[in-house]
Coordinates of all heavy atoms in Angstrom, one line a residue:
M968 N 89.9 112.2 110.1 CA 91.2 112.6 110.5 C 91.9 111.5 111.2 O 93.1 111.2 110.9 CB 91.1 113.9 111.4 CG 92.5 114.3 111.9 SD 92.2 116.0 112.6 CE 93.7 116.0 113.5
K969 N 91.3 110.9 112.1 CA 91.9 109.8 112.8 C 92.3 108.6 111.9 O 93.3 108.0 112.1 CB 91.0 109.3 113.9 CG 91.6 108.2 114.8 CD 90.7 108.0 116.1 CE 91.2 106.9 117.0 NZ 92.4 106.2 116.8
D970 N 91.5 108.4 110.9 CA 91.8 107.3 110.0 C 93.1 107.5 109.2 O 93.9 106.6 109.1 CB 90.7 107.1 108.9 CG 89.4 106.6 109.6 OD1 89.5 106.0 110.7 OD2 88.3 106.7 108.9
S971 N 93.3 108.7 108.7 CA 94.6 109.0 108.0 C 95.8 109.0 108.9 O 96.8 108.5 108.6 CB 94.5 110.3 107.2 OG 94.2 111.4 108.1
L972 N 95.6 109.4 110.2 CA 96.7 109.4 111.1 C 97.0 107.9 111.5 O 98.2 107.5 111.5 CB 96.3 110.2 112.4 CG 97.5 110.4 113.4 CD1 98.7 111.0 112.7 CD2 97.0 111.2 114.5
D973 N 96.0 107.1 111.8 CA 96.2 105.7 112.1 C 96.9 105.0 110.9 O 97.8 104.2 111.1 CB 94.9 105.0 112.4 CG 94.3 105.5 113.7 OD1 95.0 106.1 114.5 OD2 93.1 105.2 113.9
K974 N 96.4 105.3 109.7 CA 97.0 104.7 108.5 C 98.4 105.1 108.3 O 99.3 104.2 108.0 CB 96.2 105.2 107.2 CG 96.5 104.5 106.0 CD 95.6 104.8 104.9 CE 95.9 104.1 103.6 NZ 95.0 104.4 102.5
A975 N 98.8 106.3 108.6 CA 100.2 106.8 108.5 C 101.0 106.1 109.5 O 102.1 105.5 109.2 CB 100.2 108.3 108.7
M976 N 100.6 106.1 110.8 CA 101.5 105.5 111.8 C 101.6 104.0 111.7 O 102.6 103.4 112.1 CB 100.9 105.9 113.2 CG 100.9 107.4 113.4 SD 102.3 108.3 112.9 CE 103.5 107.9 114.1
A977 N 100.7 103.3 111.0 CA 100.8 101.9 110.8 C 101.9 101.5 109.8 O 102.4 100.4 109.9 CB 99.4 101.4 110.3
V978 N 102.3 102.4 109.0 CA 103.3 102.1 108.0 C 104.6 102.9 108.1 O 105.6 102.7 107.4 CB 102.8 102.3 106.5 CG1 101.6 101.4 106.2 CG2 102.4 103.7 106.2
F979 N 104.6 103.8 109.1 CA 105.8 104.6 109.3 C 107.0 103.7 109.7 O 107.0 103.0 110.6 CB 105.6 105.7 110.4 CG 106.8 106.5 110.7 CD1 107.4 107.2 109.7 CD2 107.3 106.6 111.9 CE1 108.5 108.0 109.9 CE2 108.3 107.4 112.2 CZ 109.0 108.1 111.2
R980 N 108.0 103.8 108.8 CA 109.3 103.1 108.9 C 109.2 101.6 108.7 O 110.2 100.9 108.8 CB 110.0 103.4 110.3 CG 110.5 104.8 110.4 CD 111.5 105.0 111.4 NE 112.1 106.3 111.4 CZ 112.4 107.0 112.4 NH1 112.2 106.6 113.6 NH2 112.9 108.2 112.3
N981 N 108.0 101.2 108.4 CA 107.8 99.7 108.1 C 106.6 99.6 107.3 O 105.5 99.3 107.8 CB 107.7 98.9 109.4 CG 107.7 97.4 109.1 OD1 108.2 97.0 108.1 ND2 107.2 96.6 110.0
P982 N 106.7 99.8 106.0 CA 107.9 99.8 105.2 C 108.3 101.2 104.7 O 109.3 101.3 103.9 CB 107.5 98.9 104.0 CG 106.0 99.3 103.8 CD 105.5 99.5 105.2
Y983 N 107.5 102.2 105.0 CA 107.8 103.5 104.3 C 108.6 104.5 105.2 O 108.5 104.5 106.4 CB 106.4 104.2 104.0 CG 105.6 103.3 103.0 CD1 104.2 103.1 103.2 CD2 106.2 102.8 101.9 CE1 103.5 102.4 102.4 CE2 105.4 102.0 101.0 CZ 104.1 101.8 101.3 OH 103.3 101.1 100.4
N984 N 109.2 105.4 104.4 CA 109.9 106.5 105.1 C 108.9 107.6 105.4 O 107.7 107.5 105.1 CB 111.1 107.1 104.2 CG 110.6 107.8 102.9 OD1 109.5 108.4 102.9 ND2 111.4 107.7 101.9
C985 N 109.3 108.7 106.0 CA 108.4 109.7 106.4 C 107.6 110.3 105.3 O 106.3 110.5 105.4 CB 109.1 110.8 107.2 SG 110.6 111.4 106.5
A986 N 108.2 110.7 104.2 CA 107.5 111.2 103.0 C 106.5 110.2 102.4 O 105.4 110.6 102.2 CB 108.5 111.7 101.9
Q987 N 106.9 109.0 102.3 CA 106.0 108.0 101.7 C 104.8 107.7 102.7 O 103.7 107.5 102.2 CB 106.8 106.7 101.5 CG 107.8 106.7 100.4 CD 108.6 105.4 100.4 OE1 109.2 105.0 101.4 NE2 108.7 104.8 99.2
T988 N 105.1 107.8 104.0 CA 104.1 107.5 105.0 C 102.9 108.5 104.8 O 101.7 108.2 104.8 CB 104.6 107.6 106.4 OG1 105.6 106.6 106.6 CG2 103.6 107.6 107.4
V989 N 103.3 109.8 104.6 CA 102.3 110.9 104.5 C 101.5 110.7 103.2 O 100.3 110.8 103.2 CB 102.9 112.3 104.6 CG1 101.9 113.4 104.3 CG2 103.5 112.5 106.0
C990 N 102.2 110.4 102.1 CA 101.5 110.1 100.8 C 100.6 109.0 100.9 O 99.4 109.0 100.5 CB 102.6 109.9 99.7 SG 103.6 111.4 99.4
H991 N 101.0 107.9 101.5 CA 100.2 106.7 101.6 C 98.9 106.9 102.5 O 97.9 106.4 102.2 CB 101.0 105.5 102.3 CG 100.2 104.3 102.5 ND1 99.8 103.4 101.5 CD2 99.7 103.8 103.7 CE1 99.1 102.4 102.0 NE2 99.1 102.6 103.3
A992 N 99.1 107.7 103.5 CA 98.0 108.0 104.4 C 96.8 108.7 103.7 O 95.6 108.6 104.1 CB 98.4 108.9 105.6
F993 N 97.1 109.3 102.6 CA 96.1 110.0 101.8 C 95.8 109.3 100.4 O 95.4 110.0 99.5 CB 96.4 111.5 101.6 CG 96.4 112.2 102.9 CD1 97.5 112.3 103.7 CD2 95.2 112.7 103.4 CE1 97.4 112.9 105.0 CE2 95.1 113.3 104.6 CZ 96.2 113.4 105.4
D994 N 96.1 108.0 100.4 CA 95.9 107.2 99.2 C 96.6 107.7 98.0 O 96.1 107.6 96.9 CB 94.4 107.0 99.0 CG 93.7 106.4 100.1 OD1 94.3 105.4 100.7 OD2 92.6 106.8 100.5
R995 N 97.8 108.3 98.1 CA 98.5 108.8 97.0 C 99.7 107.9 96.8 O 100.9 108.3 96.8 CB 99.0 110.3 97.2 CG 97.9 111.3 97.2 CD 97.2 111.3 95.8 NE 98.1 111.4 94.7 CZ 98.5 112.5 94.2 NH1 98.1 113.7 94.7 NH2 99.3 112.5 93.1
D996 N 99.4 106.6 96.6 CA 100.5 105.6 96.4 C 101.2 105.8 95.1 O 102.3 105.3 94.9 CB 99.9 104.2 96.5 CG 99.5 103.8 97.9 OD1 99.8 104.6 98.8 OD2 99.0 102.7 98.1
D997 N 100.7 106.7 94.2 CA 101.4 107.0 93.0 C 102.6 107.9 93.3 O 103.5 108.0 92.4 CB 100.4 107.8 92.0 CG 99.9 109.1 92.6 OD1 99.3 109.0 93.7 OD2 100.0 110.1 92.0
L998 N 102.7 108.4 94.5 CA 103.8 109.3 94.8 C 104.9 108.5 95.6 O 105.9 109.0 95.9 CB 103.3 110.4 95.7 CG 102.4 111.4 95.0 CD1 101.8 112.4 96.0 CD2 103.2 112.2 93.9
L999 N 104.6 107.2 95.9 CA 105.6 106.5 96.8 C 107.0 106.4 96.2 O 108.0 106.6 96.8 CB 105.0 105.1 97.1 CG 103.8 105.0 98.0 CD1 103.3 103.6 98.2 CD2 104.0 105.7 99.3
E1000 N 107.0 106.1 94.9 CA 108.3 105.9 94.2 C 109.0 107.3 94.1 O 110.2 107.4 94.4 CB 108.2 105.3 92.9 CG 109.6 105.0 92.3 CD 109.5 104.2 91.0 OE1 108.5 103.4 90.8 OE2 110.3 104.4 90.1
P1001 N 108.3 108.3 93.6 CA 109.0 109.6 93.5 C 109.6 110.2 94.8 O 110.5 110.9 94.8 CB 107.9 110.6 93.0 CG 107.0 109.7 92.2 CD 107.0 108.4 93.0
V1002 N 108.9 109.9 96.0 CA 109.4 110.4 97.2 C 110.3 109.4 98.0 O 110.6 109.6 99.2 CB 108.3 110.9 98.1 CG1 107.5 112.0 97.4 CG2 107.4 109.8 98.6
Q1003 N 110.6 108.3 97.4 CA 111.3 107.2 98.0 C 112.6 107.7 98.7 O 113.0 107.3 99.8 CB 111.7 106.1 97.1 CG 112.3 104.9 97.7 CD 112.4 103.7 96.7 OE1 112.1 103.9 95.5 NE2 112.9 102.6 97.2
G1004 N 113.4 108.6 98.1 CA 114.6 109.0 98.6 C 114.5 110.3 99.4 O 115.6 110.9 99.7
C1005 N 113.3 110.7 99.7 CA 113.1 112.0 100.4 C 112.9 111.9 101.9 O 112.0 112.5 102.4 CB 111.9 112.7 99.7 SG 112.2 113.1 98.0
A1006 N 113.9 111.3 102.5 CA 113.8 111.2 104.0 C 115.2 111.5 104.5 O 116.2 111.6 103.7 CB 113.4 109.7 104.4
R1007 N 115.3 111.6 105.8 CA 116.6 111.9 106.4 C 117.4 113.1 105.9 O 118.6 113.1 105.6 CB 117.5 110.7 106.4 CG 117.0 109.5 107.1 CD 117.9 108.3 107.2 NE 117.4 107.3 108.0 CZ 117.0 106.1 107.5 NH1 117.0 105.9 106.2 NH2 116.5 105.2 108.3
G1008 N 116.6 114.1 105.6 CA 117.2 115.4 105.1 C 117.5 115.4 103.6 O 118.1 116.3 103.1
N1009 N 117.0 114.4 102.9 CA 117.2 114.3 101.4 C 116.1 114.8 100.6 O 116.2 114.7 99.3 CB 117.5 112.8 101.1 CG 118.8 112.4 101.7 OD1 119.8 113.1 101.6 ND2 118.8 111.2 102.2
A1010 N 115.1 115.4 101.1 CA 114.0 116.1 100.3 C 114.6 117.4 99.8 O 115.6 117.9 100.3 CB 112.8 116.4 101.2
P1011 N 114.1 117.9 98.7 CA 114.6 119.1 98.1 C 114.7 120.2 99.2 O 113.9 120.4 100.0 CB 113.5 119.5 97.1 CG 113.0 118.1 96.6 CD 113.0 117.3 97.9
G1012 N 115.9 120.9 99.1 CA 116.1 122.0 100.1 C 116.3 121.5 101.5 O 116.3 122.3 102.4
G1013 N 116.5 120.2 101.7 CA 116.7 119.7 103.1 C 115.4 119.7 103.9 O 115.4 119.4 105.1
L1014 N 114.3 119.9 103.2 CA 112.9 119.9 103.8 C 112.7 118.7 104.6 O 113.1 117.6 104.2 CB 111.9 120.1 102.7 CG 110.5 120.7 103.1 CD1 110.7 122.2 103.7 CD2 109.6 120.8 101.9
C1015 N 111.9 118.8 105.7 CA 111.5 117.6 106.4 C 110.8 116.7 105.4 O 109.9 117.1 104.7 CB 110.6 118.0 107.5 SG 109.6 116.7 108.3
G1016 N 111.0 115.4 105.4 CA 110.4 114.4 104.5 C 108.9 114.4 104.7 O 108.2 114.3 103.7
A1017 N 108.4 114.4 105.9 CA 107.0 114.3 106.1 C 106.3 115.6 105.6 O 105.3 115.5 104.9 CB 106.7 114.2 107.6
L1018 N 106.9 116.7 105.8 CA 106.4 118.0 105.2 C 106.5 117.9 103.7 O 105.5 118.3 103.0 CB 107.2 119.2 105.7 CG 106.8 120.5 105.2 CD1 105.3 120.8 105.3 CD2 107.7 121.6 105.8
Y1019 N 107.6 117.4 103.1 CA 107.7 117.3 101.7 C 106.6 116.4 101.1 O 105.9 116.7 100.1 CB 109.0 116.8 101.3 CG 109.2 116.7 99.8 CD1 109.3 117.9 99.0 CD2 109.3 115.5 99.2 CE1 109.4 117.8 97.6 CE2 109.4 115.4 97.8 CZ 109.5 116.6 97.0 OH 109.6 116.5 95.7
G1020 N 106.3 115.3 101.8 CA 105.2 114.4 101.4 C 103.9 115.1 101.4 O 103.1 115.0 100.4
A1021 N 103.7 116.0 102.4 CA 102.4 116.7 102.4 C 102.3 117.7 101.3 O 101.2 117.8 100.7 CB 102.3 117.5 103.8
T1022 N 103.4 118.3 100.9 CA 103.4 119.3 99.8 C 103.2 118.6 98.5 O 102.7 119.1 97.5 CB 104.7 120.2 99.7 OG1 105.8 119.4 99.4 CG2 104.9 120.9 101.0
C1023 N 103.6 117.3 98.4 CA 103.3 116.5 97.2 C 101.9 116.1 97.1 O 101.3 116.1 96.0 CB 104.2 115.3 97.2 SG 106.0 115.6 96.9
V1024 N 101.3 115.8 98.2 CA 99.8 115.5 98.2 C 99.0 116.7 97.9 O 98.0 116.6 97.2 CB 99.4 114.9 99.6 CG1 97.9 114.8 99.8 CG2 100.1 113.6 99.9
A1025 N 99.4 117.9 98.4 CA 98.6 119.1 98.1 C 99.5 120.2 97.7 O 99.8 121.2 98.4 CB 97.9 119.5 99.4
P1026 N 100.0 120.1 96.4 CA 101.0 121.1 95.9 C 100.4 122.6 95.9 O 101.2 123.5 96.1 CB 101.3 120.7 94.5 CG 100.3 119.7 94.2 CD 99.8 119.1 95.4
E1027 N 99.1 122.7 95.7 CA 98.5 124.0 95.7 C 98.5 124.6 97.1 O 98.3 125.8 97.3 CB 97.1 124.0 95.2 CG 96.1 123.2 96.0 CD 96.2 121.7 95.9 OE1 97.0 121.1 95.1 OE2 95.6 121.0 96.7
Q1028 N 98.7 123.8 98.2 CA 98.7 124.3 99.5 C 100.2 124.3 100.1 O 100.3 124.5 101.3 CB 97.9 123.4 100.4 CG 96.4 123.4 100.0 CD 95.7 124.7 100.3 OE1 96.1 125.4 101.3 NE2 94.8 125.1 99.5
A1029 N 101.2 124.1 99.3 CA 102.5 123.9 99.7 C 103.0 125.0 100.7 O 103.6 124.8 101.7 CB 103.5 123.8 98.6
E1030 N 102.8 126.3 100.3 CA 103.3 127.4 101.1 C 102.6 127.5 102.4 O 103.2 127.7 103.5 CB 103.3 128.7 100.3 CG 104.1 129.8 101.0 CD 105.6 129.4 101.2 OE1 106.2 128.8 100.3 OE2 106.1 129.8 102.3
A1031 N 101.3 127.3 102.4 CA 100.5 127.3 103.6 C 100.9 126.2 104.5 O 101.0 126.4 105.8 CB 99.0 127.3 103.3
L1032 N 101.2 125.0 104.0 CA 101.6 123.9 104.8 C 103.0 124.1 105.4 O 103.2 123.9 106.6 CB 101.7 122.6 103.9 CG 100.4 122.0 103.5 CD1 100.6 121.0 102.3 CD2 99.7 121.3 104.6
K1033 N 103.9 124.7 104.7 CA 105.2 125.0 105.2 C 105.1 126.0 106.4 O 105.8 125.9 107.4 CB 106.1 125.6 104.1 CG 106.5 124.5 103.1 CD 107.4 125.1 102.0 CE 107.6 124.2 100.9 NZ 108.3 124.8 99.8
Q1034 N 104.3 127.1 106.2 CA 104.1 128.1 107.2 C 103.5 127.5 108.5 O 103.9 127.8 109.6 CB 103.3 129.3 106.7 CG 104.1 130.1 105.6 CD 105.4 130.6 106.1 OE1 105.6 131.1 107.2 NE2 106.4 130.4 105.2
A1035 N 102.5 126.7 108.3 CA 101.8 126.1 109.5 C 102.7 125.1 110.2 O 102.8 125.0 111.4 CB 100.5 125.4 109.0
F1036 N 103.5 124.3 109.4 CA 104.5 123.3 110.0 C 105.5 124.1 110.8 O 105.9 123.7 111.9 CB 105.1 122.5 108.8 CG 105.9 121.3 109.3 CD1 105.3 120.1 109.3 CD2 107.2 121.4 109.6 CE1 106.0 119.0 109.7 CE2 107.9 120.3 110.0 CZ 107.3 119.1 110.0
L1037 N 106.0 125.2 110.2 CA 107.0 126.0 110.9 C 106.4 126.6 112.2 O 107.1 126.5 113.2 CB 107.4 127.2 110.0 CG 108.4 128.2 110.6 CD1 109.7 127.6 110.9 CD2 108.6 129.4 109.6
A1038 N 105.2 127.0 112.2 CA 104.6 127.6 113.4 C 104.5 126.5 114.5 O 104.6 126.8 115.6 CB 103.2 128.1 113.0
R1039 N 104.2 125.3 114.1 CA 104.0 124.2 115.1 C 105.3 123.6 115.6 O 105.4 123.2 116.7 CB 103.1 123.1 114.5 CG 101.7 123.5 114.4 CD 100.8 122.3 114.1 NE 99.5 122.7 113.7 CZ 98.5 121.9 113.5 NH1 98.7 120.6 113.5 NH2 97.3 122.4 113.1
N1040 N 106.2 123.5 114.7 CA 107.5 122.7 115.0 C 108.7 123.6 115.1 O 109.8 123.1 115.5 CB 107.7 121.6 114.0 CG 106.6 120.5 114.2 OD1 106.1 120.3 115.3 ND2 106.2 119.9 113.1
G1041 N 108.6 124.8 114.7 CA 109.8 125.7 114.9 C 110.8 125.7 113.8 O 111.8 126.4 113.8
A1042 N 110.6 124.8 112.8 CA 111.6 124.6 111.7 C 110.9 123.8 110.6 O 109.9 123.2 110.8 CB 112.8 123.9 112.1
V1043 N 111.5 123.8 109.4 CA 110.9 123.0 108.3 C 112.0 122.1 107.7 O 111.6 121.2 106.9 CB 110.3 123.9 107.2 CG1 109.1 124.7 107.7 CG2 111.4 124.8 106.5
T1044 N 113.2 122.3 108.0 CA 114.3 121.4 107.5 C 114.5 120.3 108.5 O 114.5 120.4 109.7 CB 115.6 122.1 107.2 OG1 116.2 122.6 108.4 CG2 115.4 123.3 106.2
C1045 N 114.9 119.1 107.9 CA 115.2 118.0 108.7 C 116.3 118.3 109.7 O 116.2 117.9 110.9 CB 115.5 116.8 107.8 SG 115.7 115.2 108.7
R1046 N 117.4 118.9 109.2 CA 118.5 119.2 110.1 C 118.1 120.0 111.3 O 118.5 119.7 112.4 CB 119.6 119.9 109.2 CG 120.8 120.3 110.0 CD 121.8 121.0 109.2 NE 122.3 120.2 108.1 CZ 123.5 119.6 108.1 NH1 124.3 119.8 109.1 NH2 123.8 118.8 107.1
E1047 N 117.3 121.0 111.1 CA 116.9 121.9 112.2 C 116.0 121.2 113.2 O 116.1 121.3 114.4 CB 116.2 123.2 111.7 CG 117.1 124.1 110.9 CD 116.4 125.2 110.3 OE1 115.3 125.0 109.6 OE2 116.8 126.4 110.5
L1048 N 115.1 120.4 112.6 CA 114.1 119.6 113.4 C 114.8 118.6 114.3 O 114.4 118.3 115.4 CB 113.1 119.0 112.5 CG 112.1 119.9 111.9 CD1 111.4 119.3 110.7 CD2 111.1 120.4 112.9
K1049 N 115.9 118.0 113.8 CA 116.5 116.9 114.5 C 117.7 117.4 115.4 O 118.2 116.6 116.2 CB 117.1 115.9 113.5 CG 116.0 115.2 112.6 CD 114.9 114.7 113.4 CE 113.7 114.3 112.6 NZ 112.7 115.3 112.5
A1050 N 118.1 118.7 115.3 CA 119.1 119.2 116.1 C 118.8 119.0 117.6 O 117.8 119.4 118.1 CB 119.3 120.7 115.8
A1051 N 119.7 118.3 118.2 CA 119.5 118.0 119.7 C 118.2 117.3 120.0 O 117.6 117.5 121.0 CB 119.7 119.3 120.5
G1052 N 117.7 116.5 119.0 CA 116.4 115.8 119.3 C 115.2 116.7 119.4 O 114.3 116.3 120.1
K1053 N 115.3 117.9 118.8 CA 114.2 118.9 119.0 C 112.8 118.3 118.7 O 111.9 118.4 119.5 CB 114.6 120.1 118.1 CG 113.6 121.2 118.2 CD 114.1 122.4 117.4 CE 113.1 123.5 117.4 NZ 113.6 124.6 116.6
V1054 N 112.6 117.8 117.4 CA 111.3 117.3 117.0 C 111.5 115.9 116.4 O 112.1 115.8 115.3 CB 110.6 118.2 116.1 CG1 109.2 117.7 115.7 CG2 110.5 119.6 116.6
P1055 N 111.1 114.8 117.0 CA 111.3 113.5 116.5 C 110.4 113.3 115.2 O 109.4 113.9 115.0 CB 110.9 112.6 117.6 CG 110.1 113.4 118.5 CD 110.4 114.8 118.3
C1056 N 110.9 112.3 114.4 CA 110.2 112.0 113.1 C 108.7 111.7 113.3 O 107.9 112.2 112.5 CB 110.9 110.9 112.4 SG 112.5 111.3 111.9
P1057 N 108.3 110.9 114.3 CA 106.8 110.6 114.4 C 106.0 111.9 114.6 O 104.9 112.0 114.2 CB 106.8 109.7 115.6 CG 108.1 109.0 115.7 CD 109.1 110.1 115.2
V1058 N 106.6 112.8 115.3 CA 105.8 114.1 115.5 C 105.7 114.9 114.2 O 104.7 115.4 113.9 CB 106.5 115.0 116.6 CG1 105.9 116.4 116.7 CG2 106.5 114.3 118.0
C1059 N 106.8 114.8 113.4 CA 106.7 115.5 112.1 C 105.6 114.8 111.2 O 104.9 115.5 110.5 CB 108.1 115.4 111.4 SG 109.3 116.4 112.3
V1060 N 105.6 113.5 111.2 CA 104.6 112.8 110.4 C 103.2 113.2 110.9 O 102.3 113.5 110.1 CB 104.8 111.3 110.5 CG1 103.6 110.5 109.9 CG2 106.1 110.9 109.8
R1061 N 103.0 113.2 112.2 CA 101.7 113.5 112.8 C 101.3 114.9 112.4 O 100.2 115.2 112.0 CB 101.7 113.4 114.3 CG 100.5 113.9 115.0 CD 100.5 113.7 116.5 NE 100.6 112.4 116.9 CZ 99.5 111.6 117.1 NH1 98.3 112.0 116.9 NH2 99.7 110.3 117.5
T1062 N 102.2 115.9 112.5 CA 101.9 117.3 112.1 C 101.5 117.4 110.7 O 100.6 118.0 110.3 CB 103.2 118.1 112.4 OG1 103.5 118.1 113.8 CG2 102.9 119.6 112.0
A1063 N 102.3 116.7 109.8 CA 102.0 116.8 108.3 C 100.6 116.2 108.0 O 99.9 116.8 107.3 CB 103.1 116.0 107.6
V1064 N 100.3 115.1 108.7 CA 98.9 114.5 108.4 C 97.8 115.4 109.0 O 96.8 115.7 108.3 CB 98.9 113.1 109.1 CG1 97.4 112.6 109.1 CG2 99.8 112.1 108.3
E1065 N 98.0 116.0 110.2 CA 97.1 116.8 110.8 C 96.8 118.1 109.9 O 95.7 118.5 109.7 CB 97.5 117.2 112.2 CG 97.3 116.1 113.2 CD 97.9 116.4 114.6 OE1 98.6 117.5 114.7 OE2 97.7 115.6 115.5
L1066 N 97.9 118.7 109.4 CA 97.8 119.9 108.6 C 97.1 119.6 107.3 O 96.3 120.4 106.8 CB 99.2 120.4 108.3 CG 99.9 121.1 109.5 CD1 101.3 121.4 109.1 CD2 99.1 122.2 110.0
L1067 N 97.3 118.4 106.7 CA 96.6 118.1 105.4 C 95.1 117.9 105.8 O 94.2 118.3 105.0 CB 97.2 116.8 104.8 CG 98.4 117.0 104.0 CD1 99.0 115.6 103.7 CD2 98.1 117.8 102.7
N1068 N 94.8 117.3 106.9 CA 93.4 117.1 107.3 C 92.8 118.5 107.5 O 91.6 118.7 107.1 CB 93.3 116.3 108.6 CG 93.4 114.8 108.3 OD1 92.9 114.3 107.3 ND2 94.2 114.1 109.1
E1069 N 93.5 119.4 108.1 CA 92.9 120.7 108.3 C 92.7 121.5 107.0 O 91.9 122.4 106.9 CB 93.9 121.6 109.2 CG 93.9 121.1 110.6 CD 95.0 121.7 111.5 OE1 95.6 122.7 111.1 OE2 95.3 121.1 112.5
C1070 N 93.4 121.1 105.9 CA 93.3 121.7 104.6 C 92.1 121.0 103.8 O 91.9 121.3 102.7 CB 94.6 121.6 103.8 SG 95.9 122.7 104.3
G1071 N 91.5 120.0 104.5 CA 90.4 119.3 103.8 C 90.7 118.0 103.1 O 89.9 117.5 102.3
F1072 N 91.9 117.5 103.3 CA 92.3 116.3 102.7 C 92.0 115.1 103.6 O 91.8 115.2 104.7 CB 93.8 116.3 102.3 CG 94.1 117.2 101.1 CD1 94.3 118.5 101.3 CD2 94.1 116.7 99.9 CE1 94.6 119.4 100.3 CE2 94.4 117.5 98.8 CZ 94.6 118.9 99.0

């Protein structure tokens, strides 16, 4: 678990966005290009980019990941998470990585 979190935080925002960071942390570099534009509220449905990256890594766990992310952070969309600085991006990345680890990734 610590390895994937360390790997994620090492590349967050340099060079990867939040969605790419989560994909890279789980050696899914094949997803880096498809999720390239999925940050800053630009993931489908306005979903948090880190959460979207997690759902790309584990599509069969997408609904469970969304529910767990909602329970921990109080929202799943970037707009809601960032309202008044509610949940910063690094926390979203950490949550997404931790949830994937809890799912066995």
Side-chain angles (χ1 to χ4, degrees):
M968 180 168 160
K969 186 168 176 4
D970 290 342
S971 56
L972 187 55
D973 289 345
K974 188 172 182 179
M976 299 319 286
V978 298
F979 179 55
R980 292 198 172 140
N981 188 22
Y983 299 134
N984 68 32
C985 49
Q987 290 174 311
T988 295
V989 173
C990 294
H991 177 75
F993 292 91
D994 298 320
R995 290 299 310 272
D996 289 354
D997 59 307
L998 296 171
L999 294 180
E1000 187 175 329
V1002 301
Q1003 185 173 6
C1005 297
R1007 297 188 175 108
N1009 293 315
L1014 203 62
C1015 165
L1018 175 56
Y1019 182 68
T1022 65
C1023 290
V1024 170
E1027 66 285 350
Q1028 299 289 327
E1030 195 54 40
L1032 288 166
K1033 288 176 189 176
Q1034 292 305 313
F1036 192 94
L1037 176 63
R1039 288 195 191 181
N1040 293 325
V1043 295
T1044 66
C1045 187
R1046 178 181 296 257
E1047 292 173 311
L1048 290 161
K1049 302 306 168 263
K1053 184 177 177 181
V1054 182
C1056 295
V1058 172
C1059 292
V1060 169
R1061 175 181 293 276
T1062 301
V1064 170
E1065 288 173 350
L1066 291 173
L1067 281 169
N1068 281 318
E1069 289 170 18
C1070 289
F1072 287 86

